[in-house]
Amino acid sequence: NNLFKTLECTQTVDDSSRLLTRPSVTCWEGDHATAISLAIPGIVLWGVGIPAVFSAWLQSRMHSGELLQDRIRCMVGFLTNGYEPRFADWESVVFLRRFAVFAVAMVPLHSMRLRAVLQASLGLGFTVMHIFCEPYDNRSGVLLDSLELWSLSLFTTTHAVLAIMYAADVPDSSAWHFINFVVICIVWAMHAGHVFRMALHIGLQVRHFLAVQHARRRFDDRTEGCNPVARLAAAMFVLDLAHNDA
């Protein structure tokens, strides 16, 4: 964030470009030019270099089979868990996506329409990438891929609507204001529906977890003192019960 602040310049009444956080500093001259020459490489290193190195390191570990070792899994398991094995490095793509969205939001642009178009283009590109890859594992069916796709689609749709509204020749009429109000309500309703859907699925996951825990307790109660064959049969029975309860 601090690196991007060096790029936040604004036009003053005398047509000079001033640093937004320190209006006494003239942009692109003197000390600011030096700061820019240091900030841009830092931004590229942070936003592109780090995910690229992480992805290359994970790819090498995947090809050598080391990613399945307990030592490596303890190191990076919190970043690779939840993805299919061939997309174990997908977190680098997520990092790159966040960086790109943040960069477009922070880079000084004099046109809000251009900013909205760039954000919509990013959303569309990452949406298409997600459709072709579907990187999340299927422990809950295609739930994670579905939620991520819906989130990306909402992001793209919202900024596409903003780009159209910024580009339109807005007449000062009550009819146009009513149309804007309806469009905004539709977008907000889509976001609210997505949040509700996520909350519903989280509730279902919690219910399933509680059912499994209950089944395990029933399994322990029913098989205490039993031989291994009886325990295996009981395990199959209680797993079926857990599935039915969930």
Side-chain angles (χ1 to χ4, degrees):
N1 190 12
N2 291 330
L3 292 174
F4 279 103
K5 286 183 178 179
T6 60
L7 303 176
E8 292 183 329
C9 297
T10 183
Q11 294 294 123
T12 60
V13 292
D14 58 352
D15 291 333
S16 62
S17 182
R18 298 283 180 169
L19 191 62
L20 188 62
T21 55
R22 293 183 62 185
S24 61
V25 176
T26 302
C27 288
W28 317 111
E29 298 179 4
D31 292 340
H32 184 258
T34 303
I36 287 292
S37 65
L38 297 175
I40 292 179
I43 291 172
V44 174
L45 176 63
W46 171 67
V48 180
I50 292 177
V53 170
F54 174 73
S55 178
W57 184 83
L58 275 183
Q59 288 288 342
S60 66
R61 294 301 181 275
M62 283 191 292
H63 292 154
S64 64
E66 296 180 33
L67 195 60
L68 299 178
Q69 296 179 2
D70 292 339
R71 180 178 62 86
I72 301 297
R73 295 178 66 179
C74 289
M75 289 174 54
V76 298
F78 69 100
L79 293 173
T80 61
N81 187 33
Y83 298 109
E84 295 182 4
R86 60 196 180 105
F87 294 116
D89 62 336
W90 192 260
E91 194 65 28
S92 61
V93 177
V94 175
F95 187 95
L96 182 63
R97 182 181 71 203
R98 292 172 180 169
F99 167 75
V101 171
F102 186 76
V104 172
M106 295 296 295
V107 168
L109 297 174
H110 299 294
S111 172
M112 294 300 295
R113 178 181 63 184
L114 176 60
R115 194 185 302 275
V117 169
L118 290 176
Q119 295 283 30
S121 301
L122 285 174
L124 180 60
F126 283 106
T127 300
V128 173
M129 184 184 301
H130 181 81
I131 291 174
F132 280 100
C133 295
E134 293 188 343
Y136 292 99
D137 62 23
N138 298 323
R139 68 183 71 179
S140 300
V142 293
L143 174 61
L144 295 178
D145 284 316
S146 176
L147 290 176
E148 181 74 356
L149 177 60
W150 187 249
S151 298
L152 291 171
S153 300
L154 279 179
F155 177 86
T156 305
T157 302
T158 300
H159 284 90
V161 170
L162 288 175
I164 294 173
M165 294 177 69
Y166 284 133
D169 187 11
V170 180
D172 189 11
S173 64
S174 57
W176 177 255
H177 292 310
F178 177 75
I179 293 174
N180 281 348
F181 175 76
V182 171
V183 171
I184 292 173
C185 287
I186 292 175
V187 173
W188 273 106
M190 292 171 63
H191 283 272
H194 179 55
V195 172
F196 175 78
R197 184 186 179 195
M198 291 183 63
L200 177 63
H201 285 294
I202 290 174
L204 292 175
Q205 290 293 322
V206 171
R207 180 184 175 185
H208 176 71
F209 173 78
L210 294 177
V212 171
Q213 294 299 315
H214 179 64
R216 286 178 177 175
R217 288 194 296 268
R218 294 172 67 179
F219 171 74
D220 292 336
D221 293 340
R222 289 174 180 269
T223 60
E224 185 176 0
C226 294
N227 59 55
V229 176
R231 288 180 64 88
L232 178 61
M236 297 176 62
F237 173 72
V238 295
L239 285 176
D240 183 63
L241 288 179
H243 177 74
N244 293 332
D245 291 342

